[in-house]
Amino acid sequence: MRCRICEAALAPFVSFGRMPIANGFLTEADFATEPLFELAAARCEACGMVQLLEQPAPEAMFHENYAFFTSTSRSMAQHFGRLAEGVMSGYVEGDRPFVVEIGCNDGVMLERLARAGVRHLGVEPAANVAAVAQSRGVQVLVAFFDEALAHGLLKDHGPADAVVATNVMCHVGALHPFVAGIKTLLKPRGVLVFEDPYLGDIVEKTAYDQIYDEHAFYFSVVPLSRMFAQHGLEIVNVEPQAVHGGSMRYVVAHKGARRVSPSVAAHRGREADLGLDRPATYEAFRHRVEQSRDALVVLLEQARGQGRRVVGYGATSKSTTVTNYCAITPRLVEYISDTTPIKQGKYSPGAHIPVRPYEDFKASYPDYALLFAWNHAEEIMANEQAYRAVGGQWIVYVPKVGVLA
Ligand code: TMP
Ligand code: ZN
């Protein structure tokens, strides 16, 4: 496999072995035919883009039973509400403005625009989540976005003031045609606003669980700037976001069309300070990942050895990397509690830990809850004061393995 951006050689720096599809929650009948692929992350020696070595076909990941619904978390719904307000106040100009959201999921962002009467269109490949968006009054096209689709949209709707894509671009292996399509769609002062997990946070927090099949890329400002320059685009603003365990919001415009904020240079500096341009940084990351795995297994074995019950909290996509890489089986973690109906009654990918409704957690508190949904820690800790009050404890592994005091 060569770099998806520049075709140069890739230098793998961390391998997780055979892994299932992160959102591939399954029933017992499907255990024998569960698809597996080799999960490893690599850095391009030429353009610096960090990416997966191998990625399953998109159809295996984003299908009519896609298990990820954005609105399942209150803080995420609030985040997307603020994003919608920001797009409407900052980038929507003139009469009959038009906003396209690629990967609109259940419509949590576009719903705000629909209510404000802003012309919009969501493009979403997963039919089940798209149906939820439609039921909220959001205009949705069930499709994968690509260059051909962009030309069709331009013809049918005219150019866009803003194209929004949150947690989408990092999923798209064929990024060049995707970006070319966005460029086609944008008005002269139009912007692409996108958010994805930020490589700087992944490295700083040893958040190796961000590495899974859906995330083809682990973006940072420097390699992204090079990639956009090839399309006559430039990053004009960057803004760190707390969601998904550390994300970055990038605003991209036609080159020269908008003033470039000092935040862009500031983040280039932060990336140099973090050593994101040096192979040694990734060697050190791999070492910390291995240490993290070993420490988590020791902690879980100890708890079980003392006859304690351990339950996983949140069957997140990210947890699939952790459970499989650390070989966490139902012997160590009894079940995973999750509020998403489509995941309940199924088994976690690969590790086959049962996923049960949150009511089961409430009905009989375990001794330890393993916080798989660490990116929602604040919201969860606020909700789970009763669990803490009866002596329930939290096991965490990002940024460090331990039991919360
Ligand atoms: P995510 O980290 O990929 O957004 O997934 C979060 C998962 O965690 C989702 O399946 C819902 C679940 N969840 C809970 O079960 N309880 C909670 O309090 C929160 C915030 C999430
Ligand atoms: Zn490259």
Side-chain angles (χ1 to χ4, degrees):
M1 180 78 204
R2 304 191 71 83
C3 174
R4 293 168 176 85
I5 302 300
C6 76
E7 308 249 297
L10 289 174
F13 62 86
V14 63
S15 295
F16 299 95
R18 305 284 293 166
M19 285 277 165
I21 304 289
N23 266 304
F25 294 88
L26 71 179
T27 58
E28 223 168 324
D30 293 327
F31 285 178
T33 55
E34 187 171 18
L36 297 174
F37 77 106
E38 203 62 43
L39 181 69
R43 180 171 172 271
C44 173
E45 291 169 329
C47 77
M49 188 70 88
V50 173
Q51 53 202 283
L52 282 190
L53 211 51
E54 193 190 311
Q55 197 184 25
E59 293 74 18
M61 301 182 283
F62 312 110
H63 42 62
E64 71 286 0
N65 285 317
Y66 189 52
F68 182 82
F69 287 79
T70 303
S71 302
T72 41
S73 148
R74 187 159 22 90
S75 59
M76 288 305 282
Q78 285 166 354
H79 173 79
F80 287 115
R82 285 194 299 271
L83 173 60
E85 300 302 328
V87 168
M88 286 192 284
S89 64
Y91 303 110
V92 167
E93 307 170 329
D95 33 294
R96 301 205 71 232
F98 181 46
V99 175
V100 174
E101 187 181 15
I102 305 171
C104 69
N105 199 276
D106 56 15
V108 64
M109 202 287 293
L110 282 182
E111 190 182 9
R112 299 286 182 112
L113 276 74
R115 274 200 246 135
V118 175
R119 207 158 58 91
H120 66 273
L121 183 69
V123 180
E124 170 56 60
N128 61 333
V129 289
V132 176
Q134 281 158 340
S135 74
R136 288 175 163 164
V138 170
Q139 301 294 320
V140 190
L141 189 65
V142 178
F144 276 99
F145 181 85
D146 58 19
E147 219 176 338
L149 190 85
H151 284 285
L153 296 183
L154 186 66
K155 202 160 127 264
D156 295 346
H157 304 273
D161 294 75
V163 173
V164 180
T166 58
N167 304 300
V168 171
M169 302 263 295
C170 77
H171 294 72
V172 179
L175 200 55
H176 280 305
F178 193 88
V179 171
I182 292 171
K183 164 114 181 154
T184 302
L185 258 184
L186 290 180
K187 286 183 181 174
R189 273 180 55 78
V191 291
L192 160 66
V193 181
F194 75 101
E195 286 180 18
D196 281 298
Y198 181 55
L199 180 65
D201 286 295
I202 295 173
V203 168
E204 251 178 342
K205 297 175 190 165
T206 316
Y208 69 89
D209 55 348
Q210 296 282 15
I211 302 173
Y212 58 88
D213 57 349
E214 294 181 16
H215 293 163
F217 293 108
Y218 304 85
F219 291 141
S220 53
V221 176
V222 173
L224 271 178
S225 301
R226 285 195 194 105
M227 189 275 298
F228 284 123
Q230 286 180 259
H231 294 272
L233 297 166
E234 67 184 343
I235 301 176
V236 296
N237 192 31
V238 293
E239 203 185 322
Q241 307 289 323
V243 295
H244 283 302
S247 288
M248 189 65 80
R249 179 180 301 166
Y250 307 84
V251 182
V252 177
H254 294 288
K255 186 158 179 52
R258 285 180 180 264
R259 191 183 70 89
V260 178
S261 146
S263 63
V264 180
H267 277 84
R268 289 171 166 277
R270 182 184 164 200
E271 291 175 7
D273 292 346
L274 270 170
L276 295 189
D277 53 347
R278 287 198 303 272
T281 304
Y282 300 91
E283 289 298 313
F285 174 78
R286 188 200 39 227
H287 187 64
R288 294 198 303 280
V289 170
E290 289 166 358
Q291 283 179 325
S292 172
R293 172 194 58 194
D294 296 348
L296 181 59
V297 171
V298 165
L299 190 59
L300 293 173
E301 289 285 2
Q302 265 172 1
R304 297 295 294 132
Q306 293 162 354
R308 304 283 203 279
R309 288 179 59 215
V310 183
V311 166
Y313 197 101
T316 56
S317 335
K318 292 191 292 297
S319 69
T320 295
T321 295
V322 177
T323 53
N324 288 280
Y325 177 60
C326 303
I328 298 172
T329 58
R331 182 178 65 80
L332 292 177
V333 169
E334 193 178 309
Y335 68 89
I336 306 175
S337 159
D338 198 285
T339 51
T340 313
I342 195 173
K343 297 181 186 178
Q344 296 163 356
K346 296 209 173 114
Y347 291 86
S348 74
H352 301 161
I353 302 168
V355 181
R356 306 222 310 240
Y358 174 62
E359 289 65 38
D360 289 19
F361 180 85
K362 281 223 101 135
S364 168
Y365 283 144
D367 301 294
Y368 292 103
L370 174 54
L371 186 58
F372 286 132
W374 59 267
N375 49 312
H376 301 290
E378 216 172 294
E379 180 174 346
I380 292 170
M381 293 303 148
N383 287 342
E384 297 299 350
Q385 288 174 16
Y387 169 64
R388 283 297 268 283
V390 297
Q393 290 189 294
W394 291 96
I395 297 176
V396 295
Y397 48 85
V398 171
K400 281 225 145 50
V401 173
V403 178
L404 286 188

